[in-house]
Amino acid sequence: MMQISILTPFPNIVEAIVGESILRRAREKGLVDYHSIDLHDFAEGDYPQLDDYPFGGGSGMVMMAEPFFKAVDYVQGHFPGSGQMRVILPTPQGEILTQKKSREFSKAEGLIFICSHYKGIDERVREAVVTDEVSIGDYVVTGGELPAMVILDSVVRLVPGVLGDEESALSDSFANPLLDYPHYTRPETTRGMHVPEVLLSGHHKRIEVWRKKQREKRTRSRRPDLWKRYVEENSKGDG
């Protein structure tokens, strides 16, 4: 079972998300287990302090290192296999999340997510315990919980047995070099719009060809960067 721990000042955010949909079912199947670790439990003082003013001056507050260190020590000491966990810091400074990276994470024994706030975390946490810095895009949000949940969701659905239909994950956008093809379901006609005839034909070869063409068309028009890479890779293969 994959052990996933989320170190956060706001565990209720995490519990609200992992308690629903695919993430919840993954836990119920016994394939993953989530641990929302409240950083306040590892802070010192009558009023547990997680942040302080930055050395050298400047605006904003910085999250202190020691609560994170203690929380990581706790996780590694209490959950089986956690010594081999990848420690992920969601940050705009990290490597952009890709399907390839999510698949890599899905093969780990477990994951620890570090959720920062304010101006960020004491740099020594990065130096001592973080193994992966990951960005979900070139923008900033209030805290690390939502980016952590995006990364978590993209990873858990790739753990074998989590999805009812394993083929579904294989056909997703970014699971291969092209974007996904259009999908349709009942009814055949709604508000004057019709399902493409080929999908009703029952001719599997024609459907396969149509879907490939739609992947190529959609990728070429919406993601020229991916299309360029796809063309280049195919050219290498032909050579």
Side-chain angles (χ1 to χ4, degrees):
M1 179 188 297
M2 177 184 277
Q3 301 290 332
I4 299 176
S5 297
I6 304 94
L7 315 187
T8 170
F10 303 105
N12 288 342
I13 295 176
V14 174
E15 287 302 322
I17 295 174
V18 301
E20 300 293 339
S21 190
I22 294 296
L23 297 179
R24 175 179 58 80
R25 278 182 268 168
R27 173 187 263 169
E28 291 174 347
K29 288 182 177 181
L31 299 171
V32 300
D33 199 7
Y34 311 109
H35 311 284
S36 300
I37 308 298
D38 190 340
L39 287 168
H40 291 97
D41 293 339
F42 302 92
E44 297 181 354
D46 295 332
Y47 301 95
Q49 184 176 354
L50 295 176
D51 61 293
D52 210 333
Y53 295 101
F55 283 122
S59 61
M61 305 291 279
V62 176
M63 296 192 75
M64 303 164 73
E66 200 60 28
F68 285 107
F69 289 149
K70 290 180 178 178
V72 170
D73 288 344
Y74 172 84
V75 169
Q76 292 180 337
H78 283 75
F79 304 121
S82 58
Q84 302 300 317
M85 281 187 172
R86 304 280 285 268
V87 182
I88 301 171
L89 173 65
T91 169
Q93 301 177 29
E95 174 186 352
I96 293 292
L97 180 66
T98 62
Q99 189 76 358
K100 180 180 179 182
K101 195 68 179 178
S102 294
R103 190 167 296 281
E104 179 185 326
F105 287 147
S106 74
K107 297 176 182 178
E109 288 187 33
L111 305 171
I112 299 175
F113 288 92
I114 288 181
C115 300
S116 65
H117 281 262
Y118 316 117
K119 294 297 289 183
I121 60 174
D122 188 300
E123 187 67 17
R124 289 166 290 190
V125 178
R126 272 189 167 102
E127 295 171 355
V129 299
V130 172
T131 62
D132 300 271
E133 297 186 29
V134 181
S135 170
I136 62 169
D138 295 338
Y139 53 90
V140 177
V141 294
T142 302
E145 288 78 17
L146 295 182
M149 292 300 97
V150 169
I151 301 167
L152 174 64
D153 186 272
S154 74
V155 170
V156 169
R157 66 194 307 278
L158 296 175
V159 173
V162 168
L163 294 181
D165 179 5
E166 299 295 333
E167 292 295 321
S168 177
L170 297 177
S171 65
D172 286 343
S173 296
F174 308 115
N176 61 61
L178 299 173
L179 297 181
D180 201 4
Y181 51 79
H183 297 271
Y184 299 86
T185 188
R186 288 189 288 264
E188 293 180 17
T189 301
T190 179
R191 300 197 178 193
M193 296 178 289
H194 307 281
V195 175
E197 184 179 348
V198 64
L199 299 180
L200 307 176
S201 67
H203 195 298
H204 297 298
K205 184 62 178 178
R206 285 179 57 204
I207 292 173
E208 183 181 333
V209 170
W210 180 87
R211 285 176 169 169
K212 184 172 187 294
K213 287 182 178 179
Q214 292 298 313
R215 281 182 178 276
E216 292 175 341
K217 178 181 177 182
R218 185 163 284 191
T219 306
R220 185 169 58 246
S221 64
R222 299 184 182 185
R223 289 294 302 273
D225 56 323
L226 295 179
W227 177 251
K228 180 181 178 182
R229 189 186 312 162
Y230 173 70
V231 171
E232 290 174 349
E233 289 298 322
N234 280 355
S235 297
K236 291 178 184 177
D238 294 340

